[in-house]
Amino acid sequence: MNTNLSSSAPSQLETDCLVVVVLDPSEKDRAEKDQPAPSVECADPAVREAAKDVMASGEVTGKTFETTLLHRPSGLKAKRLLLLGGGKAKTFSAAELRQLAGTAVRTLKGKSIRSFAFALPENGIAATEGVRAIVEGAFVGNFDPGYYKSDRNDKDKDQKIDAVTIVVPKEVQSDTKPLESSMQAARIVAESQNFTRDLTNEPSNRMTPTILAERAKTMAAEVGLKCEVHDGDKIRQLKMGAFWGVAQGSDEAPALIVLRYEPEGAAKDVHLGLVGKGVTFDSGGISIKPADGMEKMKYDMAGAATMIGVMRAIALLKPKVKVTAIICATENMPSGKAQKPGDVQIAMSGKSIEIINTDAEGRLILADGLCYARQLGCTHLVDAATLTGAVVVALGYVNAGIFASDDPLYERFAKATQQAGEKMWRLPLDDEYKEIIKSNIADMVNSGGRWGGAISAAMFLKEFAEDTPWIHLDIAGTAWMEEQKPWIAKGPSGVALRSLVEFVKGWSA
Ligand code: BES
Ligand code: MN
Ligand code: ZN
């Protein structure tokens, strides 16, 4: 999708559709400014005039995601005018704007429209932030997961937006350089998010650990990252007994993927480690899952896909900070070679683990991934994983779970999530929870059972992050959209990528 900036008056723009935001004024504005009706967020009087009749009709409320499409709007060069409800003026921010851009894309591409212009609302969002939000939202909205539909290549049926123009009138920002660079950066982030979604979307027969490693390698070559892929022999050599315990049950070869970004001029004392759970299919192993919904376990590599996408974005945005991604990729399968409940595995760090449930496999592979990251010299760790069903019970499909061993690190990350427009909620790591993972015969068990399941999984990981400041993101409930939304398709969401990129940029020297 092409993205352009335009500084012409919205009414003078020739486009298939001009999109403007409509906001519901606050009660105060209603009274004080004598503004009883929803407002069209565009300073161009011709645009307001074109919308006047339909606005006066009361049909347009400004409710979030409400769409009103006018054809041949009088006085405008645009063929259509789309009025897009943005909700309450008081709470309208870049996060809402991002979703509106996605909504515009999804509304218009469904009508076989290929290009449109989006008028930047003039309600206090900084122009650079607004441009960023619109570009990111538009790319997210343009993604659809129907790869294996046989009419995918039918030009008429493959509905996609080809070009978006963002209209920022000269009065708003005369120097367009910052807007240009904001637009380019947003493109990189959003295309990386869609790359992550592509990887996550693939079924397990088309996204084995080997294929995931190939995709990482190809991407690395394209953007200039170093990439090493280690096989099962190396995993055993490194004494990654927890990782291997999961991998041993599958006929598909595991892969330990390492992506390195080492820019010149990076701060000497910071080395970020990003660890991703890459279970390309989670059957549960011998503690096998019920058939109902098992097909969804193809997305159990979303954490890995996220970290690979983050590395892509980082390589192109070039912040001055050293970053290494460690991806543990394997299937979790039952077989004659599979590990069994009651088995004991020795992790790379030397700690022993009693396997209570082979379906608690994510924490096993991450235990060795985190340990390896520390061995490589990482000073700060972040992992992303579709780790527990329990986090879905706790937070539903809205917030990802975030755990942090270090408050300042959490603060940094929380700021990044806000700027990225992603929702995450912190869960606790009190020492009392350690009780749950005590074992009779080993250092710990791999499953603490039902209560506080997301927390006990995080407590387990903490044993392997040790004293390195660490953040754990449990994205089991948020990496996959169960339903489509006006701004995003049903399927892989690419959640956490934007926050992680923002977080990494924050360390740039
Ligand atoms: N991959 C699952 C977690 C998951 C659940 C991801 C739902 C996405 C959607 C994980 O490996 C798992 O099976 N966790 C178990 C842990 C339990 C056995 C302690 C769970 O959550 O049930
Ligand atoms: Mn599992
Ligand atoms: Zn899993």
Side-chain angles (χ1 to χ4, degrees), residues 133-271:
I134 292 168
V135 171
E136 289 177 353
F139 273 92
V140 167
N142 215 16
F143 177 99
D144 269 295
Y147 273 48
Y148 297 105
K149 292 184 189 289
S150 51
D151 58 9
R152 174 98 181 169
N153 293 323
D154 183 329
K155 259 233 141 275
D156 298 326
K157 287 188 184 146
D158 176 27
Q159 293 172 325
K160 275 223 177 301
I161 295 295
D162 297 328
V164 181
T165 301
I166 300 151
V167 197
V168 189
K170 271 208 186 67
E171 312 84 79
V172 177
Q173 187 142 355
S174 51
D175 180 8
T176 56
K177 271 241 177 63
L179 297 181
E180 277 291 337
S181 58
S182 177
M183 181 173 82
Q184 293 311 335
R187 277 189 70 99
I188 290 171
V189 173
E191 283 173 342
S192 300
Q193 184 175 349
N194 284 349
F195 173 58
T196 290
R197 295 164 85 192
D198 267 343
L199 297 175
T200 309
N201 191 40
E202 292 291 345
S204 74
N205 64 330
R206 292 166 184 275
M207 187 49 70
T208 61
T210 307
I211 297 173
L212 184 64
E214 281 306 317
R215 295 288 293 266
K217 261 193 196 160
T218 309
M219 178 280 287
E222 278 167 13
V223 301
L225 288 171
K226 287 186 203 149
C227 179
E228 301 142 42
V229 177
H230 303 298
D231 62 8
D233 288 342
K234 176 80 181 200
I235 291 166
R236 283 196 303 271
Q237 250 173 46
L238 287 168
K239 299 200 180 325
M240 293 181 155
F243 186 0
W244 180 252
V246 178
Q248 72 181 45
S250 174
D251 285 344
E252 241 356 291
L256 171 65
I257 308 164
V258 182
L259 290 161
R260 292 174 202 261
Y261 171 71
E262 294 164 334
E264 273 174 37
K268 289 273 174 291
D269 53 343
V270 184
H271 178 183

Side-chain angles (χ1 to χ4, degrees), residues 386-427:
T386 46
L387 202 64
T388 66
V391 84
V392 195
V393 175
L395 300 174
Y397 297 119
V398 178
N399 277 282
I402 172 165
F403 296 85
S405 66
D406 180 84
D407 288 341
L409 193 65
Y410 169 76
E411 294 303 335
R412 264 181 187 265
F413 201 88
K415 230 174 90 197
T417 62
Q418 225 170 21
Q419 274 170 318
E422 294 187 311
K423 291 189 182 234
M424 304 199 189
W425 196 260
R426 191 177 184 181
L427 293 167

Side-chain angles (χ1 to χ4, degrees), residues 277 279 281-282 284 289 297 300 332 359-362 386-388:
K277 171 178 175 182
V279 174
F281 189 73
D282 182 9
K289 288 182 182 292
M297 285 301 112
D300 212 17
N332 184 27
D359 198 10
E361 86 296 343
T386 46
L387 202 64
T388 66

Side-chain angles (χ1 to χ4, degrees), residues 333-462:
M333 295 291 280
S335 79
K337 292 182 297 173
Q339 68 177 347
K340 302 172 287 296
D343 287 2
V344 172
Q345 309 290 12
I346 312 295
M348 186 186 189
S349 73
K351 288 185 175 159
S352 59
I353 304 162
E354 182 187 3
I355 308 299
I356 299 298
N357 190 320
T358 65
D359 198 10
E361 86 296 343
R363 64 198 76 180
L364 294 173
I365 69 173
L366 291 174
D368 285 341
L370 290 166
C371 179
Y372 190 49
R374 294 185 72 232
Q375 199 188 76
L376 294 180
C378 294
T379 57
H380 301 77
L381 301 171
V382 187
D383 76 72
T386 46
L387 202 64
T388 66
V391 84
V392 195
V393 175
L395 300 174
Y397 297 119
V398 178
N399 277 282
I402 172 165
F403 296 85
S405 66
D406 180 84
D407 288 341
L409 193 65
Y410 169 76
E411 294 303 335
R412 264 181 187 265
F413 201 88
K415 230 174 90 197
T417 62
Q418 225 170 21
Q419 274 170 318
E422 294 187 311
K423 291 189 182 234
M424 304 199 189
W425 196 260
R426 191 177 184 181
L427 293 167
L429 285 170
D430 302 279
D431 282 337
E432 284 91 328
Y433 291 109
K434 231 181 122 175
E435 287 289 312
I436 316 180
I437 55 168
K438 270 200 174 143
S439 163
N440 247 342
I441 69 162
D443 293 335
M444 65 196 96
V445 294
N446 80 323
S447 165
R450 200 157 161 209
W451 309 117
I455 302 170
S456 57
M459 289 303 287
F460 181 96
L461 296 180
K462 189 161 171 263

Side-chain angles (χ1 to χ4, degrees), residues 108-121:
L108 296 175
K109 75 176 187 165
K111 300 182 192 305
S112 297
I113 292 169
R114 301 287 174 163
S115 63
F116 68 92
F118 200 113
L120 185 82

